Amino acid sequence: MTRDAVVHHVQLACPPGTEDALRAFYLGVLGFEEVPKPPALAARGGCWFRRDGVELHLGVEADFRPARKAHPGLLVGDLDAWAARLEEAGAPVTFDDDFPGMRRFYTEDPNGNRIEVLTPTG
């Protein structure tokens, strides 16, 4: 069976000048690696990250508003370790039991973009 469509990346917005804070969060706290942007796109600002086949692009938006409902969902192995790491870094961690078959929590990047972190219960 061939794949006709696979998600390549998820894009979130960020305000101008917040790339260093995003790098500290996505690289330092979440353990992503930075993906070099092509030169034509790098001139626009923002930054790209990748981990375990998940790619997140943070693009500069002059009239920035954080994504409060839309969000990437990161499937992880040790949910409690991820929660502890985020709390230690000062990020909010809000658990939610409304997804049958999953344990999950929500957090935010430094600009307030929502991120879901989840793991199967069974």
Side-chain angles (χ1 to χ4, degrees):
M1 176 188 211
T2 61
R3 293 187 204 170
D4 290 329
V6 174
V7 174
H8 178 267
H9 68 273
V10 173
Q11 174 137 345
L12 297 171
C14 65
T18 61
E19 291 87 352
D20 287 343
L22 292 168
R23 286 183 181 100
F25 180 76
Y26 287 99
L27 302 174
V29 178
L30 297 187
F32 279 69
E33 65 181 51
E34 189 161 5
V35 177
K37 292 180 71 172
L41 298 177
R44 300 178 189 174
C47 35
W48 294 359
F49 305 101
R50 179 185 302 135
R51 178 182 174 150
D52 300 322
V54 172
E55 197 160 306
L56 298 174
H57 294 181
L58 281 290
V60 171
E61 192 171 275
D63 187 23
F64 170 77
R65 284 180 298 209
R68 306 303 307 150
K69 187 72 173 170
H71 60 273
L74 304 178
L75 192 61
V76 301
D78 188 342
L79 191 71
D80 295 317
W82 277 74
R85 187 165 66 221
L86 284 154
E87 286 176 327
E88 184 177 304
V93 171
T94 305
F95 279 88
D96 177 320
D97 296 327
D98 293 339
F99 191 164
M102 294 288 199
R103 281 188 67 222
R104 70 178 177 173
F105 65 82
Y106 291 97
T107 190
E108 297 175 358
D109 75 9
N111 295 318
N113 287 311
R114 185 181 201 192
I115 299 170
E116 180 179 0
V117 184
L118 63 163
T119 194
T121 58

